[in-house]
Amino acid sequence: MEIEIIISLVVFAFFAGAIDAAVGGGGLIQIPAIMGSLPHLQPATVFGTNKLASIFGTASAAFSYLRQVKLPWLLMGIIAACSFISSFIGAASVTLIPVEILKPFVLVMLIVIAIYTLMKKQFGQVHREQKLNRKMLILAALGSLAIGFYDGIFGPGTGSFFIFFFIRYLNVDFLHASALSKIANFTTNLAALSFFIPSGNVLFMVGAMMALANICGSLLGVRLAFKYGSGFIRILFLILVSLLICRMAYQMFILA
């Protein structure tokens, strides 16, 4: 592999890790970078290599958040378990549900999320300490099951969906929602890799190099998140969701 390709993949992985640590969506940067640098790869190998790089950055970000943000262990355990199980099922069901059916629904949901977040200025700005109750745990489980399944079967916007759900239904701010989303994303990535690795769809050397850069980027992303707070994450969140909307609309209406 040429040194220019290695450098470009490492640079893209670094920035992907930084963005992903704050608001998710690192795949928007990392997947096109892999596809552009290694055009001969099959899509499954691209996704598998991306997941290998991402899981280390996500784990690093989750660990950094947990050192500074107080989150209930029971809540995190339920979110992690439900996300893993449903993502695994989603990956196994990939051939049963055509992606084309999901795209219009996902596009509409992203638009609704963007408008809701933009209109509600205080959305995700206040963290409310609450005692865990049955309703909260059930909501966390249902949301994690639904979004985890979506990540396994399709994927784009998973981090945004997790963050929006945690803010809207668990009454946390963007900072705490980002922390919870990292835990959920780590388990969905782990579930995906349990499919990609046995099937031989991972380039380990490429993934390892990108993983190191992804970790460094994630450390920067977490530092920025804590330094500038929920208001900063909210702006990044809106930018990311807008990019997702443009990307999906382009794929559906221009490339179709």
Side-chain angles (χ1 to χ4, degrees):
M1 189 181 298
E2 297 178 1
I3 187 66
E4 292 85 358
I5 293 177
I6 294 174
I7 292 173
S8 67
L9 287 174
V10 167
V11 170
F12 280 118
F14 175 84
F15 285 106
I19 295 296
D20 198 67
V23 291
L28 277 177
I29 300 173
Q30 214 158 246
I31 290 176
I34 298 172
M35 286 181 169
S37 300
L38 303 170
H40 63 283
L41 292 184
Q42 294 296 318
T45 307
V46 172
F47 296 141
T49 304
N50 170 66
K51 289 293 185 184
L52 180 64
S54 298
I55 195 170
F56 287 97
T58 304
S60 174
F63 179 73
S64 298
Y65 275 116
L66 290 178
R67 290 177 61 188
Q68 301 185 61
V69 171
K70 184 179 179 181
L71 294 169
W73 286 101
L74 178 59
L75 178 63
M76 290 190 292
I78 288 176
I79 288 171
C82 292
S83 298
F84 180 91
I85 293 170
S86 60
S87 180
F88 190 91
I89 295 172
S93 306
V94 133
T95 58
L96 302 179
I97 303 177
V99 168
E100 299 305 319
I101 294 178
L102 294 175
K103 283 185 177 180
F105 173 76
V106 173
L107 181 61
V108 170
M109 287 299 297
L110 288 170
I111 292 172
V112 170
I113 286 173
I115 294 173
Y116 187 92
T117 305
L118 187 63
M119 298 297 292
K120 296 223 175 240
K121 302 295 184 183
Q122 296 304 311
F123 181 70
Q125 301 302 301
V126 179
H127 175 67
R128 299 174 185 172
E129 292 288 349
Q130 292 184 337
K131 292 184 178 180
L132 291 182
N133 53 51
R134 182 177 297 179
K135 179 181 178 181
M136 182 183 293
L137 295 176
I138 291 174
L139 281 173
L142 292 176
S144 299
L145 285 170
I147 300 171
F149 181 81
Y150 165 76
D151 190 41
I153 205 167
F154 189 30
T158 297
S160 300
F161 287 132
F162 271 126
I163 289 175
F164 182 84
F165 179 84
F166 292 144
I167 294 172
R168 178 65 180 82
Y169 294 103
L170 301 186
N171 294 316
V172 298
D173 60 10
F174 271 101
L175 197 60
H176 287 74
S178 292
L180 287 171
S181 75
K182 291 304 101 188
I183 294 165
N185 274 149
F186 172 78
T187 56
T188 58
N189 286 343
L190 188 63
L193 282 174
S194 67
F195 273 92
F196 288 127
I197 290 177
S199 62
N201 286 305
V202 175
L203 296 180
F204 286 97
M205 288 300 296
V206 175
M209 289 186 296
M210 295 183 71
L212 289 174
N214 206 270
I215 291 171
C216 294
S218 71
L219 294 175
L220 174 63
V222 172
R223 288 190 64 181
L224 291 174
F226 278 105
K227 183 176 181 179
Y228 296 106
S230 290
F232 170 74
I233 299 176
R234 177 180 182 270
I235 294 171
L236 284 182
F237 178 81
L238 284 169
I239 292 172
L240 177 70
V241 172
S242 299
L243 289 173
L244 275 167
I245 291 170
C246 292
R247 180 192 176 204
M248 292 196 69
Y250 177 78
Q251 290 175 335
M252 289 174 61
F253 303 116
I254 305 299
L255 296 182

